[in-house]
Amino acid sequence: MTTMTHDATRSAGGPAGGSRLTSGLVLAVVSATAFGASGALARGLLDTGWTPGSSVLVRVGLAALVVLPFGLASLRGRWSLLRRNAALVVTYGVLAVAGAQFCYFSAVQHMQVGPALLIEYTAPAAVVVWLWLRHGQRPGPVTLVGAALAAAGLVLVLDLLSGADLSVAGVLWSLGAMVGAASYFVISADEGNGLPPLTLAAGGLVVGAAVLGLLGLVGVLPMAGSTRPVTYGGTTVDWWLPLLLLGLVTAALAYTTGIAAGRRLGSRLASFVALLEVLAGVGFAWLLLDELPRPVQLAGGLLILAGVVAVKLGERGVVRVEPTPA
């Protein structure tokens, strides 16, 4: 998943502002890199017998244990905020945490990490459509061009033009991860609920872990694990090491540094830096799994990234449709 952002404009003027900008950029890079390692680490576990459900449950559960104390501290006893936003926290946990991660891990079970992550990263275009239809925020010309570039890039990533074999299951799971990522962007950027970002993250992780665990108990979500060693890039490691890395690095560290970066940079700049997750994901898949997208898929990935950047730049030209006074 990508950096959690906070829609606040930060000033970079003066020495203090420059220091805040520098620390924010460092935190955002750490977060994007940590998130990007999740697909490759999970793929190694899936190849030894772990299911997407069990690996996601361990990842989210460990992250919840780490982030929960910080979320409670940020709440500062304002339990009414949590009660008032209970439905929002549940939605966030189901879609943005459990749904996004489970769909992504399921996708990399059927296709390479790079293309799956690139499909998921069409989420910003989906957010634009949602804001247009739901809130009347009509996109400007630059945003529409960006959406078109992302759509063209998706065609190349799927390699539809060459007639190559396509994993329909992998594509559908990736699109499900895209929906979860889009929900993440929309809910995370909403400041009107009054919830501190760390509290929202902790609540979402706890809900996500509870939902995944319940689905596993009733048999809806297959849960299986293995103690077989896992091989990455020719090196064999114990089974518990990638699990710890998934929970502590690619989830807990990624979420907390991402939130801290968003508070320093604001949503626009933090979202730009979050694009590094795609490059990190492809890089880790190459190093750990010897997977590299085909040239046409890499070209499509560049188009998707260009489209996402255009969408972000076009946010300045968004036209809000206001109701006409009586």
Side-chain angles (χ1 to χ4, degrees):
M1 264 316 278
T2 55
T3 304
M4 180 171 291
T5 58
H6 189 64
D7 273 342
T9 303
R10 304 294 181 192
S11 172
S19 175
R20 189 176 182 84
L21 174 64
T22 301
S23 63
L25 288 173
V26 171
L27 288 168
V29 170
V30 170
S31 177
T33 304
F35 271 127
S38 62
L41 289 173
R43 179 62 180 270
L45 286 169
L46 297 176
D47 290 342
T48 64
W50 284 79
T51 62
S54 58
S55 55
V56 172
L57 175 59
V58 173
R59 182 194 185 201
V60 174
L62 284 176
L65 290 175
V66 173
V67 179
L68 183 59
F70 299 98
L72 294 176
S74 298
L75 196 58
R76 296 178 181 176
R78 296 171 293 174
W79 299 105
S80 59
L81 275 178
L82 198 56
R83 289 192 296 269
R84 189 163 62 243
N85 292 284
L88 180 69
V89 173
V90 170
T91 302
Y92 184 83
V94 172
L95 294 180
V97 177
Q101 296 303 320
F102 174 72
C103 289
Y104 176 53
F105 281 17
S106 298
V108 299
Q109 195 175 27
H110 298 279
M111 64 192 303
Q112 289 188 343
V113 170
L117 192 55
L118 288 167
I119 294 172
E120 181 183 0
Y121 248 83
T122 58
V127 172
V128 170
V129 175
W130 166 260
L131 294 176
W132 187 4
L133 297 177
R134 185 71 174 86
H135 299 287
Q137 297 182 13
R138 188 167 64 248
V142 176
T143 300
L144 293 176
V145 170
L149 287 174
L154 183 59
V155 172
L156 294 181
V157 167
L158 298 178
D159 209 1
L160 298 178
L161 302 180
S162 68
D165 291 336
L166 182 67
S167 172
V168 176
V171 172
L172 292 177
W173 282 120
S174 298
L175 291 174
M178 181 269 289
V179 173
S183 303
Y184 170 86
F185 281 122
V186 171
I187 297 175
S188 297
D190 181 14
E191 291 186 283
N193 53 63
L195 278 175
L198 277 171
T199 303
L200 176 61
L205 288 167
V206 170
V207 170
V211 169
L212 290 168
L214 180 61
L215 292 177
L217 285 175
V218 300
V220 174
L221 199 62
M223 293 284 180
S226 172
T227 57
R228 291 165 51 193
V230 185
T231 301
Y232 297 105
T235 301
T236 301
V237 299
D238 290 330
W239 60 273
W240 51 265
L241 181 58
L243 285 176
L244 280 181
L245 292 175
L246 279 173
L248 301 182
V249 177
T250 74
L253 176 65
Y255 272 102
T256 52
T257 54
I259 292 168
R263 294 173 70 91
R264 287 164 171 78
L265 302 178
S267 61
R268 186 182 301 275
L269 182 54
S271 297
F272 271 118
V273 183
L275 295 177
L276 289 174
E277 182 185 342
V278 177
L279 302 179
V282 173
F284 279 116
W286 182 27
L287 292 174
L288 300 181
L289 306 175
D290 197 23
E291 288 184 359
L292 192 63
R294 294 185 293 275
V296 66
Q297 291 178 311
L298 290 174
L302 293 177
L303 278 180
I304 290 177
L305 293 180
V308 171
V309 169
V311 166
K312 290 297 180 182
L313 291 174
E315 287 180 355
R316 297 179 180 178
V318 169
V319 178
R320 296 180 182 272
V321 180
E322 302 290 349
T324 303

